[in-house]
Amino acid sequence: MTLPPLRVGQGVDAHPLVAGRPLVLGGVTVPFELGLDGHSDGDVVAHAACDAVLGGAGLPDLGHHFPSDDPRWKDASSLELCRAVAELVRAAGWRPVNLDVAVVCDRPRLGHLTAGMAANLAAAFGLDPAQVRVTAKGTDGLGFAGRGEGIAATAVCLAAAANR
């Protein structure tokens, strides 16, 4: 049995927390007094996932495809960006095999919401839910995420050539 060509993509994103915006992570609206600043909805989980999937396909990053100065993406749902990324990756002849995302913050506590985030990402990228994992990690007060100034996410994606 010959395996199709494989690639690994990595994504990282971080946004500051601000008043007056909802907090959206992995397409889940999180009950919290602050939200993430950004041109779209600021969803760092979805953004890191998009960059990992794009990287796995050897494509340019999220900002290349959806620049922050483009008014079409102002306040857009990042799950919409995930669906568009899935199409770009398919058109390039690649498919995600699995996606693993870690969201980093001390507050709010997110462990009980990660399954919903994973399900949303799986649906947006056209994956089986078993192919996507989201975890929540704290920093014990260290760094901007520990001080409550922002939230970060990292992601990794294994991608395979789709037509081999």
Side-chain angles (χ1 to χ4, degrees), residues 26 32 44 50 52 56-58 64 74 77 89-90 98 110 115 141-142 147 152:
F32 195 59
V44 295
C50 283
H64 173 86
K74 178 74 175 141
S77 165
V89 167
R90 273 191 285 279
N98 79 313
L110 299 171
L142 297 174
R147 292 188 301 270

Side-chain angles (χ1 to χ4, degrees), residues 6-102:
L6 300 173
R7 289 182 179 162
V8 174
Q10 179 177 324
V12 177
D13 197 35
H15 287 276
L17 284 162
V18 296
R21 287 194 62 144
L23 178 57
V24 179
L25 295 169
V28 173
T29 301
V30 179
F32 195 59
E33 64 271 13
L34 301 172
L36 290 169
D37 195 17
H39 183 66
S40 65
D41 60 10
D43 185 337
V44 295
V45 170
H47 295 175
C50 283
D51 271 336
V53 171
L54 287 164
L59 296 173
D61 70 3
L62 192 64
H64 173 86
H65 295 286
F66 309 100
S68 61
D69 60 357
D70 186 336
R72 291 180 297 170
W73 307 110
K74 178 74 175 141
D75 297 323
S77 165
S78 292
L79 291 180
E80 183 180 337
L81 301 179
C82 292
R83 287 186 283 276
V85 163
E87 288 300 318
L88 290 168
V89 167
R90 273 191 285 279
W94 290 86
R95 63 180 175 81
V97 174
N98 79 313
L99 179 62
D100 193 304
V101 184

